[in-house]
Every structure is written in structure tokens, then in C-alpha cells.
Amino acid sequence: MSGNVNREYFDKYMVPCYSPAPFIPVKAAGSRVWDQQGKEYIDLAGGIAVNSLGHSNPVLAQALKDQIDKLWHMANGFTNEPVLTLAQKLVNATFADKVFFCNSGAEANEAALKLARKYARDRFGADKSEIIAFKNAFHGRTLFTVTVGGQPKYSADFAPLPQDITHLPYNDLNAVAAQISDRTCAVIVEPVIGEGGVLPADPAFLQGLRELCDKHNATLIFDEVQTGAGRLGTLYAYQHYGVVPDLLTSAKGLGGGFPIGAMLAKEAWAQVFQPGTHGTTFGGNPLAATVANSVLDQLDETLLGGVAERHQLIVARLEALNAQHGLFTAIRGKGLLIGAELAEPLRGKAKTLTNLAAEEGLIALIAGPDVLRFAPALNIPLEDIEEAFVRLERAVVRILG
């Protein structure tokens, strides 16, 4: 890559739907990242919960290198060994009977929502089409998924939008009970709302959704794009909560940095997608499936068991910062998906704080204007967490003046 490439290229050549940081990362290993100038950063963002096993994981890299010399792509008129192995692993490890592979979380959710509508139509008729979703949720950027997501700021500019979608307050089972009916074809829910502020579901809320869906023959969809692949300390969040959905969507951490998405389905739902009803060109290609197989192989009891220890350390450091500086009104989350809601006078300044943190050598996320979000690698070294919060405190001191 040319050494002359700089951040100005983005403004000159790229569609401006992002506002990337002023520095350009060029190398990374584990939870450390280096930019063009050689400056080092500690990564507590994990590519928004994507780099589940850290950057340049050597086991993933070797698996990919081995597959590169074998088979890259054949499209879905054929199958391949890595994707069949991956499907078997996911079925054996979860409630699912079948798996559909795609390239992203949005595509996985699109598939699940389409499948839920078709399942209801085939079994109960065209009038059973309502989808219940939740305010502040995020399910992707396709027109269907961005409409189902409960944040109008992402969908309002693209009207007319898909119809028969109802948004209710999250964690409000009474609101769902009052709305759901035999017209409802599906309820889609994030076990922990990510983009909308890092809000964990109450266990009784998810259990109640399961019971209401059973009562009204509605499909229960868990969007685990952000909570899956070990993020909460179990392979998927439904296992943490003990509530089994009918469909589950996965992406992000499943590929450890390589693009892949998956929809996990019970048998009766899977059979609705017969040849010609849905598809994708790149989904389940051998390279992506190979990397995801290697990710699953590394998500063993030891690694997943370490998630709780890292959660406790991050929360302890946030609480210490709060005690010293009075920064937060709430610290919440599960596993390694953690949010800290800013108090006055920092309300609305989450992005400003993460920008200062980057100047101090720390990469962190936001979840809206008021919440810091942390989603580091599941295997981030404890010493990296300690050093990250030294750097975060320097940013805090700067923003407080």
C-alpha cells in the first residue's frame, strides 16, 4: 500500500456515510493497534464486538492461509467442506436444526424476518404479518432491518418503509402482552440492546416473550449479532438466559474479523426456505467458513470462563473512575458488552470523550451520545485492561478541564 495514502483520501474518494478517526491503523496484534505514525493504541472496541479473539489471531490466520491454497469460492450451486463442518458445529452446540449462512448481521436479520413472514403466511395465512420489535433496537441497515430497528433517526429518510411493524418499550412485558395477537407473526429482540445504549434484558422479559409467542403462534427471533460468539461468556446469550428462540441471528464475533453471518433455525422454520425462496452469492464461502470454524474451536470453557473475570475488572475500573470523577449515572451490561452512561456535565459528549481517549492511545466505542461502550476481545490480557483505564483517565481529566 502506498505510503502516501492519508486520511484526506477518505474525504476525497469515499462516500461520506462515516466520519472515521483522523489516524489510520495499519497493524494490529492481540488488543494492540498501531497507526501510520507508529503510535500504539489499546483496543476496547473490538471492531464493534467483531474481533472476538483479538487482532491477527495466529490460529485464525493459519487456518485462513491453509484454505487460501485450496478453494476460495464456488457459489451456492455447490457446497463445500468448511461450510458443512461449520453448520454441524453450530447445530451441535445450539438449539438449531439448520443454519443459513450470509455475510453480515443485517443479512442474517433480513433472512430471519423474511422467513418469519413466510412461515406465518404458509401456515396461517396472509393476515398474520405483524412484527413486534423494540424501541432503541438496532437490527441492520437494509430497508427492512432498519425499519424493524427502533431508532427512527436511521429510517425516517428512506420512506415509504415496510409496513406492519410495531415498536414497543424494551423490557416492558405488559406492553407486549397488550399488543400481541394472532396477527403477530414474529417478535424480534436483542438479549442486550447494543447500539441503543447497552441495555440487558430482564430474564423474566425474555421468558415472557417466549410464552406469549407460543400462545399466539408467533416466531421468536433473538438478534445475537452482537451478543453471540461468546460475548456474554456463553456461546450465545440465549444459553445465558435459558430461553430458547425459534430463530437466532449471528455475525460479528463469529468470524473473528472475517465477514460472515448466520441464521440458526428450528426444523419447521428451516423447511420454509426451499430452493428459490432466498439466497446469497457469497454466503458460506469456504474462506469465511474456515475462519469461523477456527473461532468456534477456540471458544472453549477456559476462554469463555475468562469473560466473567474481564467483565469484573472493567466494571471495577469504571466504578473507580466514577468514584474519583463522578462520571456515570449507570454502569451496565453483561460479559464483555459493557456500557457506562455519562452524567452531567458530560451528557451528549460520549464521542468527544472517545476522541480524546484515542489521542491518549485508547480505542473505545459509543452507544448513542451519552454512553461509552466497551466490547474488547474475549481474550484481552488483563494488563491491557489496566493500562487502557490509565489512558482513559487521562482523557477524562482533559475533558473535565
Side-chain angles (χ1 to χ4, degrees), residues 61-92:
Q62 189 59 55
L64 182 58
K65 290 172 185 175
D66 292 344
Q67 183 60 39
I68 280 173
D69 291 330
K70 296 176 182 177
L71 182 68
W72 285 28
H73 181 70
M74 286 290 291
N76 285 307
F78 309 87
T79 191
N80 62 78
E81 291 177 344
V83 80
L84 296 175
T85 300
L86 180 58
Q88 181 188 42
K89 286 179 182 177
L90 287 170
V91 167
N92 288 345

Side-chain angles (χ1 to χ4, degrees), residues 105-106 109 113 133-134 137-141 145-146 148-150 188-190 223:
N109 282 328
L113 293 163
F134 297 97
F138 185 87
H139 299 297
R141 297 281 192 169
T145 59
V146 81
V148 173
I188 183 169
V189 63
E190 296 170 90
D223 176 346

Side-chain angles (χ1 to χ4, degrees), residues 48 50 100-113 138-142 144-146 188 221-227 248-255 258-263 278:
I48 314 182
V50 166
F100 169 80
F101 290 104
C102 50
N103 310 285
S104 68
E107 289 175 76
N109 282 328
E110 182 88 10
L113 293 163
F138 185 87
H139 299 297
R141 297 281 192 169
T142 67
F144 198 0
T145 59
V146 81
I188 183 169
I221 305 169
F222 275 16
D223 176 346
E224 294 227 33
V225 170
Q226 196 158 163
T227 58
L248 181 150
T249 57
S250 183
K252 287 189 180 285
L254 180 61
F258 202 100
I260 189 170
M263 178 189 68
H278 192 64

Side-chain angles (χ1 to χ4, degrees), residues 97-99 115 119 247 265-274:
D97 299 303
K98 296 286 195 298
V99 188
L115 178 54
Y119 177 86
L247 303 176
K266 292 178 179 176
E267 185 71 38
W269 281 260
Q271 291 304 321
V272 171
F273 268 0
Q274 291 296 310

Side-chain angles (χ1 to χ4, degrees), residues 55-56 123 138 148 159 201 232 284 322 369:
H55 295 277
S56 304
R123 287 206 165 195
F138 185 87
V148 173
L232 303 194
N322 203 29

Side-chain angles (χ1 to χ4, degrees), residues 186-379:
V187 176
I188 183 169
V189 63
E190 296 170 90
V192 179
I193 280 186
E195 162 75 22
V198 191
L199 304 166
D202 296 331
F205 176 64
L206 296 183
Q207 183 60 48
L209 294 182
R210 176 71 277 172
E211 293 168 1
L212 288 169
C213 285
D214 289 342
K215 178 180 178 181
H216 293 281
N217 293 311
T219 299
L220 180 60
I221 305 169
F222 275 16
D223 176 346
E224 294 227 33
V225 170
Q226 196 158 163
T227 58
R231 180 70 31 197
L232 303 194
T234 52
L235 182 59
Y236 286 102
Y238 87 87
Q239 296 161 323
H240 170 83
Y241 279 99
V243 179
V244 178
D246 303 306
L247 303 176
L248 181 150
T249 57
S250 183
K252 287 189 180 285
L254 180 61
F258 202 100
I260 189 170
M263 178 189 68
L264 283 61
K266 292 178 179 176
E267 185 71 38
W269 281 260
Q271 291 304 321
V272 171
F273 268 0
Q274 291 296 310
T277 56
H278 192 64
T280 169
T281 296
F282 288 103
N285 79 80
L287 298 180
T290 293
V291 177
N293 273 311
S294 188
V295 169
L296 291 181
D297 289 344
Q298 293 185 68
L299 294 181
D300 56 19
E301 290 184 7
T302 300
L303 191 144
L304 292 176
V307 169
E309 181 181 12
R310 287 159 176 78
H311 171 93
Q312 291 165 5
L313 180 56
I314 291 173
V315 169
R317 293 297 169 263
L318 286 169
E319 289 174 343
L321 267 180
N322 203 29
Q324 182 72 22
H325 301 285
L327 295 174
F328 309 122
T329 60
I331 298 167
R332 56 183 179 251
K334 290 183 177 293
L336 286 175
L337 182 54
I338 299 167
E341 185 168 350
L342 293 170
E344 294 292 355
L346 299 183
R347 299 287 292 178
K349 296 182 179 179
K351 186 64 176 177
T352 302
L353 182 52
T354 58
N355 287 341
L356 289 173
E359 292 179 10
E360 298 295 338
L362 169 66
I363 299 172
L365 296 165
I366 64 172
D370 303 321
V371 178
L372 299 183
R373 177 172 33 158
F374 304 94
L378 306 183
N379 59 358

